[in-house]
C-alpha cells in the first residue's frame, strides 16, 4: 500500500457529479466507511464532490445501484466550485476531474487558485483535448482511461429542504488504467506523478475497481479515442444503438471509419491492438450492442457532445501527416452543427 500520512486530513476532490464522478465518489466512500467499521481506521481519502449547481445542505446521499442490482448508499460532502473561495479546510491531497472534456477550461479557471503545482490532478475525460490543454497549465498531471459503464437513471435525484439524494447506475464492470501524463516511458519510480498514480490505483482497487498503473497512459488514451471515434459519431449521427452498426448500411461505414482512424494512428506511431483495429471495434460493438452510446445520449438530450475531444485530435494529426478523412470529416461537420 502507498499510504498517506494523515488520513483524517486526506481529501479527494471529485469535480463533476455526472455518472462517472458519482460512481467513483460512492464506491470510494462506501469502501472507506466499510474499512472504518471493520478496522477502525482507513487510509482512503474523504471525498468532496464538487459541482456547478448549488444543493441544499452540505451533504448529499448517493445511491449507487451495482451491476448486480444491489443498492449501496453513501453520504458525501458536497460543495459548488464557486463557493470554494477562501475555504482553507478540506484542502485536497488529490483532484479527479470527471467533467466532460469541454467543461475542463471553465472548471480550471475556478480551481487553479486553490491548489499548488504539486497537487496531483487526474483527468478522466474521453478523447485527447483536455489532457494536453491541462498539461500546459499544471505539472502534476495524471490521466485515467476507464471502461467502467455508468449512467444517470432518469428522475432518481430528489431533494427536500435539508437533504439531497443522487442516483447512479453502475451498468457494467470494466478496467481502469492510470498514469502520469508526462512519462519517461519506463515509469520513473521517483516521479511524484508516478507515485500518485500508484497510490490512486490502491484507492480504486480498495473501492472494488480493477485498476492498474501504466507508464504509457497516452497510448491507452489513443486506443480509447479510436474506439470512441469508430462508434460514437456514427451512432449519434444516425441515432441508432451500437448493435445496429453490424447491419447495412452501417457496417461498411464502420469499416471505413476504422481504416481512416488506423491510418492516422499508424502515422502517429501508436501501436495497434494485438487483434487488429477492425476486430477490436467489432468486439466492442458486440459487447455494447444494446447501448445508446454517450454521444447519442448527448445528442438526444440536446447537450454539447464530445465530438471535438474525440475527432479533433484525429483531424489535427491527419492534417500533420497529409491524410484525408472523408467520412470522419463529414461526421464532424454534421455533429458540430446543432442537432435537432
Ligand atoms: O464508450 C462508449 C461510449 O458510449 O462513449 C462506447 C464504447 C461507444 C460504448 O457505448
Amino acid at each position: 500500500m502507498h499510504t498517506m500520512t494523515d488520513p483524517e486530513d486526506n481529501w479527494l476532490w471529485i469535480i463533476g457529479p455526472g455518472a462517472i464522478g458519482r460512481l467513483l465518489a460512492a464506491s470510494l466512500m462506501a469502501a472507506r466507511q466499510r474499512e472504518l467499521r471493520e478496522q477502525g481506521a482507513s487510509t482512503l481519502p474523504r471525498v468532496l464532490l464538487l459541482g456547478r449547481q448549488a444543493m441544499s445542505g452540505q451533504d448529499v446521499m448517493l445511491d449507487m445501484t451495482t451491476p448486480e442490482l444491489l443498492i449501496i448508499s453513501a453520504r458525501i460532502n458536497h460543495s459548488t466550485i464557486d463557493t470554494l473561495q477562501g475555504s482553507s479546510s478540506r484542502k485536497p491531497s488529490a483532484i479527479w476531474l470527471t467533467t466532460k472534456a469541454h467543461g475542463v477550461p471553465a472548471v480550471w479557471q475556478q480551481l487553479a487558485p486553490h491548489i499548488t503545482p504539486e497537487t496531483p490532478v487526474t483527468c478522466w475525460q474521453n478523447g485527447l483535448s483536455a489532457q494536453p490543454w491541462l498539461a500546459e497549465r499544471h505539472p502534476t498531471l495524471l490521466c485515467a482511461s476507464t471502461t467502467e459503464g455508468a449512467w444517470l437513471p432518469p428522475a432518481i435525484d430528489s431533494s427536500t429542504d435539508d437533504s439531497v439524494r443522487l442516483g447512479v447506475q453502475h451498468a457494467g464492470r470494466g478496467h481502469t488504467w492510470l498514469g502520469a501524463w508526462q512519462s519517461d516511458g519506463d515509469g520513473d519510480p521517483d516521479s511524484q506523478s508516478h507515485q500518485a498514480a500508484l497510490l490512486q490505483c490502491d484507492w480504486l482497487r480498495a473501492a472494488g475497481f480493477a485498476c492498474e498503473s501504466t507508464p504509457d497512459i497516452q497510448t491507452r488514451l489513443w486506443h480509447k479515442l479510436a474506439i470512441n471515434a469508430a462508434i460514437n459519431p456514427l451512432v449519434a449521427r444516425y441515432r441508432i444503438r451500437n448493435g445496429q452498426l453490424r447491419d447495412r448500411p452501417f457496417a461498411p461505414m464502420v469499416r471505413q471509419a476504422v481504416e481512416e482512424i488506423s491510418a492516422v494512428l499508424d502515422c502517429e506511431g501508436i501501436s495497434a491492438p494485438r487483434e487488429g483495429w477492425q476486430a477490436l471495434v467489432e468486439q466492442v460493438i458486440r459487447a455494447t450492442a444494446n447501448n445508446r452510446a454517450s454521444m447519442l445520449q448527448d445528442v438526444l438530450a440536446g447537450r454539447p457532445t464530445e465530438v471535438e475531444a474525440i475527432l479533433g485530435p484525429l483531424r489535427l494529426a491527419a492534417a500533420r501527416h497529409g491524410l484525408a478523412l472523408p467520412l470522419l470529416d463529414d461526421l464532424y461537420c454534421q455533429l458540430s452543427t446543432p442537432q435537432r
Side-chain angles (χ1 to χ4, degrees), residues 79-116:
S79 186
T80 55
I81 303 178
D82 38 10
T83 53
L84 283 175
Q85 219 61 36
S87 79
S88 55
S89 60
R90 303 188 296 185
K91 280 275 177 211
S93 47
I95 293 177
W96 287 356
L97 278 182
T98 59
T99 61
K100 295 264 187 180
H102 46 260
V104 167
V107 163
W108 184 249
Q109 221 187 349
Q110 288 182 299
L111 184 63
H114 300 285
I115 61 172
T116 65

Side-chain angles (χ1 to χ4, degrees), residues 156-172:
I156 231 191
D157 298 352
S158 67
S159 87
T160 57
D161 280 352
D162 51 6
S163 82
V164 177
R165 293 195 91 95
L166 302 178
V168 61
Q169 169 74 49
H170 188 186

Side-chain angles (χ1 to χ4, degrees), residues 168-202:
V168 61
Q169 169 74 49
H170 188 186
R173 297 188 192 280
H175 199 95
T176 302
W177 288 268
L178 224 141
W181 172 257
Q182 299 287 1
S183 168
D184 57 10
D186 58 10
D188 170 8
D190 293 329
S191 105
Q192 202 181 341
S193 306
H194 183 64
Q195 290 301 324
L198 294 178
L199 175 67
Q200 295 184 16
C201 273
D202 283 346

